[in-house]
Amino acid sequence: MLLAVLGCLWLSFQTRDFFSAGNLLNLLSQSLPLIIASIGQMIVVLLGGLDLSVGSVISLTTVILAADAPSYVVIPGVFIVALVIGSANGIAVTRLNVNPIIATLSMQMLVEGLARLIRPVAGGQIPWLVTHAVDGVVFGIPTAIVWIVVVVLVGWKLLYGSRLGFHLFAVGGGVAAGREDAAHTFGIADKRTILTAYVLCSVFAALAGVFLAGRIVSGDPNLGPPFALDSITAVALGGTQLAGGVGSLHGTVISAFAMALLANGMNLMNVSAFMQTGIKGAILLLVVAMQTRKKMGL
């Protein structure tokens, strides 16, 4: 929250029209892909896991949408592919007992390779339906606002208004306490919950890719990788414990917006991409260190 406020104040001095409706809408559109991906990442982190494949799913989504195929093929196709990727991650973690970092890192490399095989360089044409859904207007309201409202409401319903949300917090609480089978003892299908979480994370990543593709109006196999680190940082910065069991949806959304503001500010200052990655990594390290000290009572 504080980072978002400070970012807004700094950018307001740097940009004359920062608080204009047009610029605020543009900032919302810029931050939306990260917000969507971070909500999906939070679902997995609540279980004490991580999904490093979200960025590659975003890249593959833009590449598929830019394929020379009808809208009724590519739009459902990206979500079917996301279901397969999420299911593979979940099966690797629950059935093969592979560490989540190793499982999703392997999937990240596989999906990135597939995206570059399909389209080695950026290009292609995004279906009109996608671009209109991203940059259009519904009843006088910009679609970006509709997107953020719908995505946050869906996230809230999943986490706080459904049985799945209860199971996510219960399983994650057991993992954080060092008792991974605690939820199972009370009749919760923990493996199914974990599998569902990874599927949802990939679906949210695909949704972020759809929005991003509509903004850049092309497919890009190299667009997604930064989202893996950025989404994890946003989730941790928003108060979700990486150990699992504790999380805040509004904190994740605000932190994702703050991360987008930070990236915007660093671009205005001409900070190199390598330095930006280092700064984000330092923020993640600091947040995780603070979480660890808090858990230890320090």
Side-chain angles (χ1 to χ4, degrees):
M1 178 77 77
L2 180 60
L3 183 60
V5 172
L6 292 176
C8 287
L9 289 175
W10 184 84
L11 289 174
S12 67
F13 287 109
Q14 296 294 320
T15 307
R16 183 178 179 181
D17 298 323
F18 177 77
F19 286 110
S20 66
N23 188 59
L24 290 176
L25 181 61
N26 183 53
L27 282 173
L28 176 62
S29 297
Q30 288 180 4
S31 62
L32 250 174
L34 179 57
I35 291 174
I36 297 171
S38 297
I39 292 175
Q41 186 74 255
M42 177 186 168
I43 294 173
V44 171
V45 172
L46 278 174
L47 299 170
L50 289 175
D51 190 344
L52 299 177
S53 67
V54 293
S56 57
V57 173
I58 290 173
S59 294
L60 183 61
T61 297
T62 67
V63 166
I64 294 174
L65 288 174
D68 186 16
S71 299
Y72 61 82
V73 173
V74 294
I75 295 177
V78 297
F79 291 105
I80 292 173
V81 170
L83 285 171
V84 172
I85 294 172
S87 297
N89 284 333
I91 291 171
V93 172
T94 58
R95 301 300 178 184
L96 303 180
N97 295 319
V98 180
N99 183 282
I101 295 177
I102 301 300
T104 58
L105 180 61
S106 301
M107 184 59 68
Q108 177 195 40
M109 293 187 288
L110 191 156
V111 175
E112 277 184 13
L114 179 59
R116 288 169 181 159
L117 181 65
I118 297 173
R119 182 171 293 281
V121 295
Q125 185 67 37
I126 301 299
W128 173 86
L129 184 61
V130 174
T131 57
H132 184 71
V134 171
D135 288 329
V137 176
V138 179
F139 300 114
I141 302 173
T143 49
I145 296 177
V146 177
W147 275 73
I148 186 65
V149 171
V150 171
V151 168
V152 170
L153 286 177
V154 170
W156 183 91
K157 178 63 177 177
L158 283 172
L159 292 171
Y160 306 116
S162 70
R163 180 175 296 180
L164 173 63
F166 172 76
H167 290 178
L168 288 171
F169 282 99
V171 174
V175 172
R179 296 184 57 194
E180 298 184 4
D181 61 339
H184 182 74
T185 303
F186 289 96
I188 295 176
D190 51 349
K191 292 186 182 297
R192 185 173 64 190
T193 301
I194 295 171
L195 176 61
T196 303
Y198 280 98
V199 169
L200 285 173
C201 185
S202 289
V203 169
F204 271 96
L207 191 61
V210 170
F211 188 88
L212 198 55
R215 275 185 56 83
I216 65 174
V217 201
S218 65
D220 190 344
N222 302 310
L223 194 65
F227 282 88
L229 174 63
D230 289 356
S231 62
I232 294 171
T233 304
V235 169
L237 194 61
T240 300
Q241 296 289 322
L242 296 186
V246 177
S248 166
L249 177 63
H250 72 272
T252 295
V253 172
I254 293 172
S255 295
F257 182 70
M259 291 294 296
L261 279 178
L262 177 64
N264 188 288
M266 289 191 291
N267 287 333
L268 287 175
M269 296 174 63
N270 295 318
V271 178
S272 72
F274 304 107
M275 184 62 71
Q276 289 189 33
T277 302
I279 292 172
K280 293 173 184 176
I283 292 174
L284 178 59
L285 179 62
L286 179 62
V287 171
V288 173
M290 291 175 63
Q291 287 187 0
T292 303
R293 289 176 61 85
K294 184 177 180 181
K295 186 175 181 180
M296 294 172 61
L298 300 175

